[in-house]
Amino acid sequence: MGRLAAASLVGTAIEFFDFFVYGTAAALVLGPLFFPNFSPLAGTLAAFGTFAIGFLSRPLGSVLFGHIGDRYGRRPVLFASLLLTGCATVAVGCVPTYGTIGITAPLLLLVLRFLQGLGLGGEWGGAVLLTAEHAPENRRALWSSFPQIGPSIGFLLANGVMLALSAGLSDAEFRSWGWRVPFWAAGVLAAVGLLLRSSLAETPQFEKLSAAGQTAGAPLAEVARDHWRLVLLTAGALAVGYATFYTVSTWALAYGTERLGVSSTVMLTCVMAAVAIKGATTPFVAILADRWGRRPLCLAGCAASALWMFPMVALLYTARPFLMFLGFLGALLAFITMFAVVAAYLPELYEPRVRCTGAAVGYNLAGVLGGALTPIVATALSDGGSGPPWGVAAYLTVVALVSLGCFALLPETLPAKAKTEAERRAEPEPASAA
């Protein structure tokens, strides 16, 4: 389990490095380089628009790679998704700017960002099933949480490289070529990830399904027919996590540098410190989920998110590094209270024959609902006016309340509790007194 967890963690870290480095670049430099004829606000919105394309393609990636995972095994998904994302990310670093090739430049960005999202949409399902379907029942949430640490590591790597480059280079050098370096580094990281995954075994549950001839012929059709309500509920439930994370990691970065006048170095440092603590907290939250259940922690995380959005915006508006850090940290701790659990929770909600498709589609649809539009909506809501951007806080609070309602409608899946409930329902009704 240690080797499997390490391989899944490294793979998701690399894939999310690829995905996050684009978001950081979109917040810092892509607007003026690829949309120079726009106003600063419009250029930022356009850059975030190309950022959103990656989320829109993630559900398509979950359908494509989910079909492969449910038909041919979880293992092939791990290779194909990592290869696709790595190649697309390296290519982003090679795209000439608008000043060189005109409108072709932003169009190429759109295509490559689409391919990034396609690969990442497949990565999550393969990585979490690798651990969830190997793990013992009483430690499934713990082992499945390791792929959820990968995004934190990927974010820290992506932003650490950006921070070092922006601090060590002049502004002209950074805008000329420095921002491209992390994209080129993705090729080396992808090669390392593919090497680590080369010796992984297929999961026992898929091998049993395959041996019995019970693999799904059309996984998406089965999910759409038999589990559509579950997909919509999981997408709605997880939307707040995406909205919270990308508010902190993408919108706040742009807002702090452009509107509050805080240096990009300070903003990146505040966000990275909060993300580092979030990543370190992940396995400890998962241990609680193995003891108390998945659903209670998800409900607690949603409720905390709803309560913290206004304080977070107020702390951000102070432009004081330590207070901004506290605002980000509170939001991300609420986030991880849910997302440390979902790598075990979502697979347990679906039957094994369609698990790769169902869990991944629900997870990535949530990315569209909560992640794709949030930086754009938040940027629009925070434009103009004086004082803290309370519209952003109100928007995030509404998303959190919707997600709370969706989680309330989902069942518990902790094996011990689920079995106890099933056994209770199976007991015959006591005979009434004559």
Side-chain angles (χ1 to χ4, degrees), residues 43-71:
T44 300
L45 286 171
F48 282 153
T50 62
F51 174 77
I53 292 295
F55 285 97
L56 297 178
S57 62
R58 281 175 65 169
L60 297 178
S62 64
V63 169
L64 171 63
F65 290 104
H67 180 87
I68 296 171
D70 285 326
R71 282 281 288 158

Side-chain angles (χ1 to χ4, degrees), residues 146-172:
F146 281 86
Q148 297 299 81
I149 302 173
S152 297
I153 295 175
F155 182 87
L156 292 173
L157 284 174
N159 287 276
V161 173
M162 282 288 192
L163 179 61
L165 289 167
S166 63
L169 299 175
S170 67
D171 185 65

Side-chain angles (χ1 to χ4, degrees), residues 141-142 144-152 275-289 297 332-333 335-337 339-341 343:
L142 173 60
S144 299
S145 72
F146 281 86
Q148 297 299 81
I149 302 173
S152 297
V275 170
I277 295 174
K278 177 200 75 127
T281 306
T282 303
F284 298 101
V285 176
I287 290 171
L288 298 179
L297 288 174
L332 293 182
L333 289 179
F335 160 85
I336 205 58
T337 303
F339 271 59
V341 176

Side-chain angles (χ1 to χ4, degrees), residues 106-325:
L107 292 178
L108 285 175
L109 277 188
L110 284 173
V111 172
L112 294 172
R113 181 62 174 173
F114 181 89
L115 294 176
Q116 267 193 329
L118 203 68
L120 191 62
E123 163 67 23
W124 186 85
V128 299
L129 290 188
L130 176 72
T131 51
E133 293 188 344
H134 275 99
E137 282 189 352
N138 65 334
R139 289 290 181 267
R140 185 176 294 143
L142 173 60
W143 288 115
S144 299
S145 72
F146 281 86
Q148 297 299 81
I149 302 173
S152 297
I153 295 175
F155 182 87
L156 292 173
L157 284 174
N159 287 276
V161 173
M162 282 288 192
L163 179 61
L165 289 167
S166 63
L169 299 175
S170 67
D171 185 65
E173 289 172 330
F174 183 73
R175 289 175 178 270
S176 174
W177 57 268
W179 68 271
R180 298 180 183 273
V181 173
F183 293 91
W184 297 334
V188 178
L189 294 175
V192 172
L194 292 170
L195 180 63
L196 287 173
R197 290 181 167 184
S198 62
S199 60
L200 296 179
E202 187 54 78
T203 68
Q205 289 192 21
F206 182 81
E207 288 182 338
K208 290 179 182 177
L209 286 172
S210 183
Q214 296 179 348
T215 55
L220 180 62
E222 287 193 34
V223 169
R225 183 184 66 241
D226 301 329
H227 304 288
W228 62 270
R229 181 176 178 272
L230 185 56
V231 169
L232 293 179
L233 282 177
T234 53
L238 299 179
V240 64
Y242 280 98
T244 299
F245 186 84
Y246 287 100
T247 294
V248 170
S249 66
T250 304
W251 169 78
L253 186 61
Y255 182 82
T257 54
E258 294 173 8
R259 295 290 302 278
L260 301 179
V262 182
S263 73
S264 59
T265 301
V266 170
M267 290 302 302
L268 282 171
T269 301
C270 292
V271 175
M272 288 171 63
V275 170
I277 295 174
K278 177 200 75 127
T281 306
T282 303
F284 298 101
V285 176
I287 290 171
L288 298 179
D290 276 325
R291 180 167 184 174
W292 294 337
R294 287 62 160 127
R295 187 168 170 268
L297 288 174
C298 290
L299 291 171
C302 262
S305 296
L307 294 172
W308 188 248
M309 292 302 103
F310 278 90
M312 183 194 74
V313 167
L315 291 169
L316 169 64
Y317 191 71
T318 66
R320 296 183 178 181
F322 183 69
L323 295 180
M324 292 192 296
F325 159 73

Side-chain angles (χ1 to χ4, degrees), residues 25-40:
L28 297 179
V29 297
L30 294 188
L33 291 178
F34 288 87
F35 305 95
N37 296 328
F38 291 17
S39 68

Side-chain angles (χ1 to χ4, degrees), residues 124-125 128-129 234 238 346-347 350 354-364:
W124 186 85
V128 299
L129 290 188
T234 53
L238 299 179
L346 263 64
Y350 293 88
V354 296
R355 181 173 286 161
C356 195
T357 299
V361 169
Y363 186 85
N364 287 295

